[in-house]
Amino acid sequence: MVEYDPKHWTSHLFDIRNSMFHAIIGRILLCVGWSAIVLVFHEYLKKRLGIDHASIPSTVHSLVGFALGLLLVFRTNTSYDRFWEGRKLWGAITNGSRNLARQSSVLLKDDPELMRATVRWTIAWPFAAMHSLRGGSGLGPAALRLPGDEVTASLASGNVPLDVARRITGHLARARDQGLVSDVLFAHFDQNVQQLIDALGGCERIKKTPLPFAYMVHIRRALILYCFTLPFALVESYGPGAIVGTLLVAYIFFGIEEIGVEIENPFDGDDNDLPLGRICATVERDLLGLIGDDARADIAETVDLQGKALGV
């Protein structure tokens, strides 16, 4: 996610890299080129053939533009609702991880090894969820603190986050069997694990349910028809200014539509998606602090491994 100061316009007003400019520039230039052709054609008809104009009335075009604007607003609002819901779900993942580690650090303190193993697998869970949402598999830097054979088995499972959650529940069941926690406390523990699974399920619902195909196709067809007929509505009144008008309208409309595309799946790791890596690192730092581990050395040692075995 791109960080910026909303109070300072000049700090981001002319940014190109993280805006939608690169994605829509081709469509804009195509519309501008077409408007130039329409202008030349209009002048040719008027000067060479004596035809007054090659334009169309602007009234109907204005009404269509209003309807198209409403469609684009609905498109963007729908995408932002998905973006914000994704952020709330990852907030639930953060809170669930913290609560699970908080309870483990206190209630399992009589078995330090079991407590540390539970917390370390809890740290690995958000990383596993992040990679699962991005179509990969990985456990993050926490993999270096876990038994190698268990890490290998977990990464080889069909669903890594589910396998990690199973291992966390297994450690909690072991604590119950040892008499460290009662059945009631075990149930409270399991509610946090269930919260993690439920939150990931919500993220998968967002990822796997795009905007309905018919709506997407219709709004894009409407955009193309509107922008490519716009020069005919402007050329009679504005002459060469029709090119500038087409440029502005195409930039605004195509930009709004592309923003909706960019944020409707907020988990992919693009510039405008949720900072899942940063959220996972925050969870890791907080949870390691609970058990007295220092994450800084581990992170420094695993920088070269993050894109390889650990899949960070």
Side-chain angles (χ1 to χ4, degrees):
M1 176 178 284
V2 180
E3 294 186 354
Y4 66 95
D5 186 352
K7 296 181 180 180
H8 294 86
W9 280 45
T10 56
S11 64
H12 58 84
L13 188 60
F14 299 103
D15 287 350
I16 297 296
R17 178 184 174 186
N18 298 315
S19 67
M20 299 295 99
F21 184 77
H22 291 298
I24 64 176
I25 184 61
R27 282 166 264 172
I28 294 174
L29 292 178
L30 194 59
C31 288
V32 170
W34 173 249
S35 66
I37 294 174
V38 171
L39 176 63
V40 172
F41 180 66
H42 172 79
E43 295 298 325
Y44 173 80
L45 290 180
K46 185 164 62 173
K47 294 180 180 179
R48 296 295 183 88
L49 302 182
I51 300 177
D52 290 339
H53 57 80
S55 63
I56 60 175
S58 61
T59 304
V60 175
H61 216 267
S62 299
L63 295 175
V64 172
F66 177 75
L68 182 59
L70 293 178
L71 287 174
L72 288 172
V73 168
F74 176 78
R75 170 75 167 97
T76 307
N77 285 344
T78 300
S79 296
Y80 186 77
D81 285 343
R82 295 161 60 90
F83 180 91
W84 182 239
E85 184 181 1
R87 183 61 186 90
K88 289 192 292 184
L89 290 169
W90 269 86
I93 289 174
T94 301
N95 293 336
S97 300
R98 287 170 174 167
N99 285 328
L100 186 56
R102 171 182 57 82
Q103 293 169 337
S104 299
S105 65
V106 174
L107 299 176
L108 306 184
K109 63 182 180 180
D110 291 337
D111 190 339
E113 289 301 319
L114 181 59
M115 181 267 290
R116 289 178 182 275
T118 303
V119 174
R120 286 169 179 170
W121 278 110
T122 303
I123 293 171
W125 196 92
F127 286 97
M130 175 183 68
H131 289 295
S132 176
L133 291 172
R134 294 178 177 177
S137 61
L139 296 177
L144 293 181
R145 308 183 193 95
L146 297 168
D149 56 337
E150 295 183 15
V151 170
T152 301
S154 184
L155 293 176
S157 65
N159 188 319
V160 179
L162 185 60
D163 183 78
V164 173
R166 179 185 66 83
R167 294 178 185 276
I168 295 172
T169 301
H171 283 82
L172 297 176
R174 181 177 156 195
R176 180 195 57 190
D177 295 340
Q178 293 178 2
L180 299 177
V181 296
S182 64
D183 289 336
V184 174
L185 288 176
F186 176 79
H188 284 299
F189 269 116
D190 193 62
Q191 286 180 355
N192 288 313
V193 180
Q194 181 177 337
Q195 179 183 355
L196 297 178
I197 297 297
D198 290 344
L200 179 59
C203 294
E204 291 174 340
R205 169 173 47 81
I206 294 174
K207 179 181 177 64
K208 296 178 180 179
T209 312
L211 195 71
F213 178 78
Y215 188 90
M216 181 272 297
V217 169
H218 182 74
I219 196 170
R220 289 182 175 178
R221 286 174 179 170
L223 271 172
I224 292 172
L225 288 173
Y226 183 85
C227 290
F228 278 86
T229 57
L230 181 61
F232 291 101
L234 299 179
V235 68
E236 179 66 20
S237 300
Y238 298 100
I243 298 177
V244 179
T246 302
L247 169 65
L248 294 175
V249 172
Y251 172 75
I252 293 172
F253 277 15
F254 281 123
I256 293 174
E257 198 274 337
E258 192 64 31
I259 289 172
V261 174
E262 179 78 1
I263 66 175
E264 73 173 355
N265 178 14
F267 310 118
D268 278 347
D270 295 332
D271 290 334
N272 292 288
D273 287 340
L274 293 173
L276 301 188
R278 202 182 318 161
I279 295 173
C280 291
T282 299
V283 172
E284 179 186 27
R285 182 198 63 215
D286 293 346
L287 270 56
L288 288 176
L290 284 177
I291 60 176
D293 283 1
D294 185 2
R296 291 174 297 178
D298 290 336
I299 292 174
E301 293 173 358
T302 59
V303 168
D304 293 335
L305 300 176
Q306 289 185 350
K308 300 177 184 178
L310 303 183
V312 178

